C-alpha cells in the first residue's frame, strides 16, 4: 500500500469526546470515525485489524470443531416471545416494526435463533454434540455507550452455541471452548485472566469471563469490571460474583437494653456511628432498591456494601437500581411508615420484600432504623426486638484484603476489560422453546446448551489499551494492519526513493503486508504518523543509504539498528511467518 493512496486521515489532536486511550488513539490515528452515539465506521486500517482478529477466532474455533454459519441481524419477535425474553430484555433490545406492523428486533445476541435452528435441524442424539458459531455485528441500545469500541451500541461479536446430550457433554464442550479462548487471546497478543462470573439467576449454572487486566492506577483506565483474585491458590472472580470469608469485626453493640433514642441528622452510617461512638459494624444498614419495578428492603452490616447483581439474582430479577428520593413518598405510603432515608428498618414494614445479607445474622445488641425520622433503635436483638428476615443471602460486595474462601489468603483487586465469556446455559432456552432431540432410549430430551462470546471489536480496543505509548498505538504483530512501513526520509532524494521502492517491491513479492510512505511530507510528519498508526516495524531510508545502510526500528521496544537493506528484508520475512 502506498501511503499517498491509503485512506487514512490522522489528526493532530485527540477527539474531545474520548475519555480512554484506545478511543483517543483509534480516532486520532484514523482507524474509526463516529457515525452516531456508540456507532462507528471501521475505516480501512481498522477493518484490517478486525479481520485479523476474526481470522484468529475463526481458525481456533474451527480447530476446536465448531462450525461457522451466519444468522440474520434482524429477528422476529415471536422467537423472543417463545423464550420469554421479549418482555424482560429491557431497553437494550432495539425493537422495530416492519411495514406489516410485525414486531422485530435488532439482534443483541442469538440464543433464540440458534435454538430454533437446532430445534428444526437436530432430531437425534446421533447428531450431537454440535457447536455452531458466527461472527457478526450486534446491536444493543446500551444505556451508556462510551469508551469508543469498548462499549458501543453496534459492535462485532463472535457468538458460539454448543448443543449436547447431557451435562457431561456440556462439561466437555465448555472445556474445549475454554482452551480455544486461551489460544485466541494469546494469539492476539493479549494476556487474559479467566475469572468466575455472574450467570444470572439460573441456579447452578457456571460461567467465566476472560479479562484483559488494566492498571487501576492509570487515570481514565478503561476497565469496567473489578476482579478479585488470590495470588496463592488462583481463585479469581468478577466482583459481581466474588465471595470471601467475612472479616472479623465487633458485632456486639454492648448496649444493655433495647430502646429508641434520638439520633438527629444521622442520615449516613458514618454519621450514626460518630454520633453514638460505636463501630459501623454494629449497625444494621437498610437500603431500598427497585428490582423489576418492585421495592425491596436490603439489610447488611453497616461496614459492608451491597453487591447489586447478587441482590438482583436473589430475586431472579433482570433489572435493579437503588430507589430514588422522589420515590420515598410512594414507598412510605405502600409500606405504611413515615420516616426519611437513614432511619428505615424492617420492623412493621408492609408490602415490601425484605432480604438480609448473611452479615447481619450475628449482630447482637445492635443499632437499627425504627421508621421514625431522627431516631434509631439501639440494643436490638433478632427475635426479641426485630424479626430476622426469612430471606437471607450473600448480597455483599467483597473487599480487597478479605480472605479467600478457598485458601484463606488475602484477596487482591484489579480492574479488567471483559473480552469474552463462556457460559453453561443448560436447558434455559431449549426447555422454553421446546427444542428437543430423541435420546438413545427413544425419549425426547431438551438440548443441554452452552454459549460462548468474544467481543471482536472490543478485543481490538483492549489491545490498544494494553499496547501503546505516548507516540501512539503499538499493535501486536498478529493483529497489526500492516507488518512494516518503509519511510524514505526525502522524496527528493533519488537514491533513497530507489532503495525504498526496491524494498517495497521485494516485500510485496514475498507477500508481506507493507506500506511505503511515498508522500511529499517532511520526514518528521512521516515518522510521527508511522508511530501513531502503530506499524510493528519501520525501515527508514535516509542519508546512510550512501554507505549502504538503512534504519530498522522495532515499534514495541523503540530499538533501532543500522543495517543493510537486505538484512532488513530478511528480518521482516522471518517475522511475518
Ligand atoms: P458487558 O458485561 O461488558 O456488558 P455482556 O455480559 O453483556 O458484557 P455478552 O452478552 O456475554 O456480554 O457478550 C459477549 C461479548 O461481547 C462480551 O464478552 C464483550 O467482549 C462483547 N460485548 C458485549 N457488549 C459489548 C458492547 N456494548 N460493545 C462492545 N463489545 C461488547
Ligand atoms: Mg452487557
Amino acid at each position: 500500500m502506498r501511503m499517498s493512496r491509503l485512506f487514512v486521515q490522522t489528526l493532530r489532536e485527540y477527539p474531545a469526546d474520548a475519555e480512554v486511550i484506545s478511543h483517543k488513539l483509534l480516532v486520532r490515528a484514523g482507524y474509526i470515525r463516529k457515525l452516531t452515539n456508540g456507532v462507528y465506521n471501521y475505516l480501512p486500517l481498522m477493518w484490517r485489524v478486525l479481520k485479523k482478529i476474526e481470522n484468529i477466532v475463526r481458525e481456533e474455533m474451527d480447530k476446536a470443531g465448531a462450525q461457522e454459519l451466519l444468522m440474520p441481524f434482524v429477528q422476529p419477535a415471536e422467537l423472543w416471545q417463545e423464550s420469554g425474553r421479549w418482555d424482560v430484555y429491557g431497553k437494550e433490545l432495539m425493537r422495530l416494526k416492519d411495514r406489516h406492523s410485525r414486531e422485530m428486533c435488532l439482534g443483541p445476541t442469538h440464543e433464540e435463533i440458534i435454538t430454533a435452528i437446532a430445534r428444526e435441524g437436530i432430531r437425534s442424539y446421533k447428531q450431537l454434540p454440535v457447536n455452531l458459531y458466527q461472527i457478526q455485528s450486534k446491536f444493543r441500545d446500551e444505556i451508556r455507550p462510551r469508551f469508543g469500541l469498548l462499549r458501543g451500541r453496534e459492535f462485532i461479536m463472535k457468538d458460539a452455541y454448543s448443543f449436547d446430550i447431557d451435562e457431561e457433554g456440556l462439561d466437555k464442550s465448555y472445556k474445549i471452548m475454554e482452551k480455544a479462548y486461551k489460544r485466541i487471546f494469546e494469539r492476539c497478543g493479549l494476556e487474559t485472566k479467566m475469572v468466575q462470573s455472574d450467570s444470572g439467576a439460573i441456579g447452578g449454572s457456571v460461567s467465566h469471563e476472560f479479562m484483559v487486566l488494566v492498571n487501576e492506577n492509570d487515570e481514565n483506565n478503561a476497565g469496567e469490571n473489578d476482579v478479585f483474585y488470590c495470588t496463592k491458590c488462583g481463585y479469581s472472580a468478577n466482583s459481581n460474583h466474588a465471595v470471601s470469608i467475612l472479616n472479623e469485626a465487633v458485632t456486639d453493640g454492648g448496649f444493655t437494653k433495647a430502646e429508641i433514642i434520638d439520633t438527629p441528622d444521622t442520615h449516613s452510617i458514618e454519621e450514626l456511628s460518630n454520633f453514638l461512638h460505636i463501630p459501623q459494624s454494629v449497625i444494621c444498614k437498610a437500603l431500598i432498591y427497585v428490582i423489576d419495578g418492585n421495592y425491596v428492603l436490603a439489610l447488611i452490616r453497616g461496614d459492608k456494601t451491597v453487591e447489586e447483581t447478587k441482590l438482583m439474582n436473589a430475586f431472579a430479577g433482570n433489572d435493579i437500581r437503588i430507589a430514588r428520593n422522589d420515590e420515598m413518598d410512594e414507598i412510605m405510603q405502600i409500606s405504611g411508615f413515615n420516616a426519611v432515608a437513614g432511619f428505615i428498618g424492617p420492623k412493621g414494614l408492609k408490602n415490601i420484600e425484605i432480604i438480609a445479607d448473611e452479615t447481619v445474622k450475628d449482630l447482637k445488641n445492635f443499632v437499627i432504623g425504627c421508621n421514625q425520622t431522627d431516631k434509631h433503635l439501639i440494643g436490638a436483638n433478632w427475635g426479641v426486638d426485630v424479626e430476622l428476615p426469612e430471606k437471607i443471602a450473600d448480597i455483599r460486595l467483597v473487599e480487597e484484603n478479605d480472605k479467600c474462601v478457598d485458601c484463606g489468603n488475602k484477596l487482591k483487586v484489579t480492574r479488567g476489560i471483559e473480552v469474552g465469556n463462556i457460559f453453561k446455559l443448560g436447558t434455559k432456552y431449549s426447555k422454553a422453546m421446546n427444542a428437543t432431540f430423541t435420546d438413545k432410549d427413544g425419549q425426547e430430551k431438551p438440548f443441554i446448551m452452552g454459549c460462548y462470546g468474544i467481543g471482536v471489536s472490543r478485543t481490538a480496543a483492549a489491545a490498544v489499551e494494553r499496547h501503546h505509548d505516548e507516540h501512539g498505538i503499538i499493535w501486536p504483530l498478529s493483529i497489526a494492519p500492516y507488518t512494516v512501513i518503509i519511510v524514505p526520509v526525502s522524496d527528493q532524494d533519488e537514491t533513497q526513493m530507489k532503495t525504498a521502492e526496491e524494498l517495497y517491491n521485494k516485500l510485496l513479492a514475498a507477500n508481506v503486508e507493507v506500506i511505503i510512505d511515498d508522500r511529499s511530507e517532511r520526514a518528521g510528519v512521516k515518522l510521527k504518523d508511522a508511530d501513531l498508526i502503530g506499524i510493528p516495524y519501520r525501515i527508514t531510508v535516509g542519508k546512510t543509504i550512501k554507505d549502504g545502510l538503512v534504519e530498522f526500528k522495532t515499534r514495541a521496544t523503540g530499538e533501532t539498528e543500522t543495517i543493510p537493506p537486505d538484512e532488513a528484508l530478511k528480518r521482516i520475512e522471518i517475522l511475518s511467518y
Side-chain angles (χ1 to χ4, degrees), residues 44 53 58 87 120 218 353 378 523 544 559:
I53 298 174
R58 209 166 258 132
D87 295 325
E120 276 174 41
D218 273 4
E353 292 230 50
I378 62 166
T544 53
E559 201 183 326

Side-chain angles (χ1 to χ4, degrees), residues 215-451:
N215 187 351
E216 65 204 290
N217 300 323
D218 273 4
E219 203 190 332
N220 297 332
N221 88 67
E224 291 190 289
N225 300 269
D226 275 328
V227 173
F228 287 95
Y229 64 100
C230 173
T231 47
K232 196 167 156 208
C233 75
Y235 171 84
S236 57
N238 189 317
S239 59
N240 64 20
H241 188 76
V243 289
S244 67
I245 296 171
L246 188 60
N247 61 352
E248 280 167 31
V250 183
T251 53
D252 189 334
F255 299 99
T256 47
K257 67 171 192 206
E259 58 181 328
I260 290 175
I261 61 158
D262 287 337
T263 53
D265 295 327
T266 55
H267 297 270
S268 69
I269 296 292
E270 196 185 348
E271 285 164 346
L272 183 60
S273 91
N274 288 341
F275 180 83
L276 292 173
H277 305 291
I278 50 164
Q280 299 190 358
S281 54
V282 300
I283 302 171
C284 181
K285 177 158 68 176
L287 298 153
I288 299 180
Y289 285 89
V290 186
I291 301 178
D292 295 346
N294 302 314
Y295 295 121
V296 167
L297 182 78
L299 305 180
I300 191 163
R301 211 171 75 188
D303 60 327
K304 296 292 161 193
T305 309
V306 169
E307 209 303 310
E308 295 191 356
T309 305
K310 287 185 180 179
L311 174 57
M312 182 175 80
N313 288 342
F315 288 92
N318 288 292
D319 183 60
I320 185 168
R321 61 176 174 79
I322 192 111
R324 293 189 304 263
N325 272 341
D326 63 292
E327 287 169 319
M328 284 310 283
D329 281 346
E330 189 191 328
I331 296 168
M332 281 197 261
Q333 257 182 10
I334 293 174
S335 53
F337 71 92
N338 194 358
V340 300
F343 302 93
I344 296 159
K347 194 168 178 176
L349 286 198
K350 289 181 296 194
N351 303 321
I352 184 165
E353 292 230 50
I354 303 175
I355 182 170
D357 180 62
E358 286 165 350
T359 49
V360 307
K361 273 190 310 198
D362 300 330
L363 293 178
K364 289 195 177 56
N365 307 309
F366 58 92
V367 176
I368 190 164
C370 58
N371 302 320
Q372 298 175 43
T373 300
D374 288 343
K375 291 181 194 304
H376 277 91
L377 171 63
I378 62 166
N381 281 293
W382 297 121
V384 182
D385 313 291
V386 198
E387 286 313 310
L388 182 66
E390 263 172 42
K391 199 173 173 77
I392 295 180
D394 169 24
I395 55 168
R396 170 173 58 95
L397 177 68
V398 166
E399 286 158 25
E400 184 158 34
N401 295 326
D402 276 1
K403 284 189 195 142
C404 172
V405 281
D406 289 343
C407 74
N409 200 41
K410 279 186 181 170
L411 292 177
K412 290 191 168 203
V413 65
T414 181
R415 300 202 51 87
I417 301 169
E418 175 196 329
V419 285
N421 64 23
I422 55 178
F423 205 116
K424 288 188 183 173
L425 290 170
T427 55
K428 179 175 163 154
Y429 294 94
S430 50
K431 270 198 181 146
M433 296 179 65
N434 201 21
T436 59
F437 64 97
T438 316
D439 206 355
K440 268 197 194 88
D441 51 13
Q443 280 198 355
E444 284 298 303
K445 289 193 179 145
F447 298 113
I448 312 292
M449 292 171 57
C451 72

Side-chain angles (χ1 to χ4, degrees), residues 63-183:
K63 247 193 256 169
Q67 299 170 59
E68 187 173 3
L69 48 56
L70 186 60
M71 292 177 266
F73 178 55
V74 176
Q75 310 180 359
E78 285 81 9
L79 289 178
W80 286 75
Q81 283 153 353
E82 270 192 58
S83 74
R85 282 209 291 184
W86 186 255
D87 295 325
V88 299
Y89 206 95
K91 290 191 176 160
E92 268 186 32
L93 187 64
M94 184 85 165
R95 297 155 209 254
L96 51 142
K97 281 191 179 140
D98 71 7
R99 66 199 301 161
H100 307 293
S101 293
R102 286 192 198 109
E103 292 200 283
M104 322 277 282
C105 64
L106 302 184
T109 174
H110 281 69
E111 280 82 5
E112 280 76 4
I113 316 303
I114 201 81
T115 306
I117 289 175
R119 178 168 67 183
E120 276 174 41
I122 305 173
R123 300 251 167 266
S124 155
Y125 72 95
K126 289 180 193 153
Q127 291 168 275
L128 296 172
V130 61
N131 184 327
L132 301 168
Y133 78 97
Q134 65 174 347
I135 299 176
Q136 201 207 34
S137 289
K138 297 279 186 272
F139 194 94
R140 293 182 185 175
D141 203 355
E142 297 274 357
I143 185 165
R144 270 183 85 198
R146 56 179 189 163
F147 297 171
L149 299 191
L150 287 172
R151 184 165 298 280
R153 293 199 296 164
E154 186 176 308
F155 57 96
I156 301 175
M157 197 204 285
K158 184 282 300 178
D159 44 328
Y161 306 87
S162 66
F163 297 85
D164 276 280
I165 296 168
D166 51 24
E167 288 292 335
E168 210 183 312
L170 172 59
D171 287 349
K172 262 191 212 152
S173 299
Y174 194 82
K175 272 264 168 270
I176 291 172
M177 282 298 105
E178 180 185 322
K179 270 201 196 135
Y181 272 41
K182 287 191 172 147
R183 283 280 303 153

Side-chain angles (χ1 to χ4, degrees), residues 38-53:
V39 180
Y40 290 86
N41 291 299
Y42 307 124
L43 300 179
L45 284 176
M46 191 73 233
W47 188 234
R48 290 179 78 95
V49 172
L50 292 170
K51 279 192 292 184
K52 294 246 166 111
I53 298 174

